[in-house]
Amino acid sequence: MSDMNFIDSLNDFGLTRQEGTIYCALLNHGEMTGYEVAKDTGISRSNVYAALTALVEKGAAYLVQGEATKYRPIEINIFTENRIRDLQKTAVWLEKHSPRKVISCDGYITIIGARNIKNKIHEMLTKTELRLYIMASAEILSEFKEELTEIVKAGKKVVIMTKGFNISGAIHYETKPEDGQIRFITDSAYVLTGELTGDEHDTCLYSGQKNLVEVMKEALKDKITLLSEGDKK
């Protein structure tokens, strides 16, 4: 992973880009004064000191008093573990105190961005109760292999249409989907269809709308019939 991607990923743990850049400098060099950080990163001293104060408050650095005030980075694994622990506590509190409202799944929801689409797939897999039909590339499915394996182990029906990806206990049909194409149907009730290439502009449609689910089911059944007939030839 490049430094740029490393810094971008720190944003997920509550650090701004500037704070991430300075944290990265501390990790590279160890204890540093604000002056040294400014010289190393090219960031103005006023911004450096503000960011260093934020890093201390966010649990990414320690303040070390001495002849010169220095800042010591907290190891990345300790920092991330602490942030995850705090977030888990916050998540429990939010779930307990969140306003409650039943949201209908009968409409059509447009999901944009690879990350959001993957999160929706994780959610759908977690909520699968009886059966799952999937058509997607082996590359896409490999990201969800552990969850798919657990669904099969739980005795739920899993039908996979792809090439080069297998899970013991699932029903497989050999076919090569178009690049980025995904088709998910869970429990004959919910559907996710669209494109997942890893791009922020990827778009998928999610719905519990009966008409769309039926159309998708018929399309996949027709695909399965063609693949089955092809295997017999």
Side-chain angles (χ1 to χ4, degrees):
M1 180 179 285
S2 68
D3 284 346
M4 186 64 68
N5 286 332
F6 179 84
I7 292 169
D8 288 343
S9 295
L10 288 171
N11 182 249
D12 293 337
F13 287 86
L15 301 188
T16 66
R17 171 173 284 278
Q18 195 167 84
E19 291 164 1
T21 299
I22 292 172
Y23 181 50
C24 193
L26 291 175
L27 289 171
N28 282 326
H29 299 288
E31 291 184 5
M32 300 176 76
T33 64
Y35 171 78
E36 290 170 335
V37 172
K39 187 176 180 180
D40 182 75
T41 62
I43 300 172
S44 69
R45 290 180 68 177
S46 60
N47 286 339
V48 162
Y49 283 110
L52 286 169
T53 298
L55 288 176
V56 172
E57 292 174 349
K58 294 177 180 181
Y62 293 121
L63 182 62
V64 182
Q65 299 287 0
E67 291 185 7
T69 299
K70 291 189 175 184
Y71 296 84
R72 179 188 301 166
I74 293 175
E75 293 179 25
I76 186 66
N77 64 308
I78 296 175
F79 168 64
T80 54
E81 286 172 4
N82 288 340
R83 291 292 292 175
I84 290 170
R85 188 183 305 111
D86 290 341
L87 284 171
Q88 287 174 333
K89 292 178 181 177
T90 303
V92 171
W93 187 92
L94 287 172
E95 185 174 352
K96 183 178 179 180
H97 295 87
S98 172
R100 303 291 179 181
K101 183 177 181 179
V102 176
I103 301 175
S104 173
C105 293
D106 292 337
Y108 300 93
I109 300 173
T110 300
I111 302 174
I112 300 174
R115 181 177 181 176
N116 294 326
I117 293 169
K118 290 178 182 180
N119 285 338
K120 193 62 182 178
I121 292 173
H122 284 300
E123 178 189 337
M124 291 178 72
L125 294 177
T126 300
K127 293 182 176 180
T128 298
E129 296 181 355
L130 298 172
R131 63 187 67 87
L132 171 66
Y133 288 79
I134 308 175
M135 184 167 68
S137 70
E139 181 180 2
I140 292 173
L141 293 176
S142 63
E143 294 191 43
F144 307 95
K145 185 173 183 178
E146 184 176 339
E147 288 158 288
L148 291 169
T149 300
E150 289 302 315
I151 292 173
V152 172
K153 286 182 178 179
K156 301 169 186 178
K157 181 179 180 180
V158 176
V159 178
I160 301 174
M161 286 162 275
T162 192
K163 185 175 183 179
F165 179 86
N166 292 285
I167 290 181
S168 178
I171 301 170
H172 295 90
Y173 293 96
E174 189 82 1
T175 185
K176 190 176 185 306
E178 296 179 16
D179 291 341
Q181 182 189 64
I182 61 171
R183 303 284 187 271
F184 276 61
I185 300 177
T186 58
D187 297 326
S188 299
Y190 303 101
V191 62
L192 180 73
T193 178
E195 184 178 57
L196 179 58
T197 65
D199 189 87
E200 63 181 20
H201 301 297
D202 287 345
T203 302
C204 279
L205 185 67
Y206 171 79
S207 181
Q209 226 296 327
K210 186 175 180 179
N211 291 338
L212 178 61
V213 174
E214 289 300 321
V215 169
M216 287 295 301
K217 282 174 60 179
E218 289 304 314
L220 290 183
K221 284 181 180 179
D222 290 344
K223 182 75 173 179
I224 289 172
T225 299
L226 289 172
L227 293 173
S228 298
E229 290 177 351
D231 290 340
K232 295 176 182 178
K233 292 181 180 180

